[in-house]
Amino acid sequence: MRIVLGIVALGVIFLGLWLIATSAPEPKPEAVTAARAISAPQQTAANPVMLGTALLVGGVLFFLMILRRR
């Protein structure tokens, strides 16, 4: 069971690293017109870098908890 949980923790760590690595910076708009602002998709608060960082930290902590388990 400990090995399976370790593999799951490593999977979460790699998923976090993948999210951080594949998120490209968004291009900066030159001029935003009213029509483009209305038709633009609504922004979300969580971007892939934040989610990847959370997965990475959570996976590392989970992995450390599994290693310390007796």
Side-chain angles (χ1 to χ4, degrees):
M1 186 67 181
R2 198 171 180 184
I3 294 172
V4 173
L5 289 174
I7 292 171
V8 169
L10 287 176
V12 170
I13 291 170
F14 285 126
L15 179 63
L17 288 173
W18 178 78
L19 276 173
I20 293 170
T22 58
S23 61
E26 296 179 12
K28 298 186 182 205
E30 295 93 21
V32 178
T33 62
R36 290 179 86 192
I38 292 172
S39 66
Q42 190 173 14
Q43 296 291 328
T44 59
N47 60 16
V49 175
M50 291 171 55
L51 295 173
T53 304
L55 281 172
L56 180 64
V57 170
V60 168
L61 291 176
F62 185 59
F63 191 70
L64 291 175
M65 287 173 54
I66 292 170
L67 288 179
R68 292 184 51 104
R69 191 173 139 199
R70 294 180 186 196

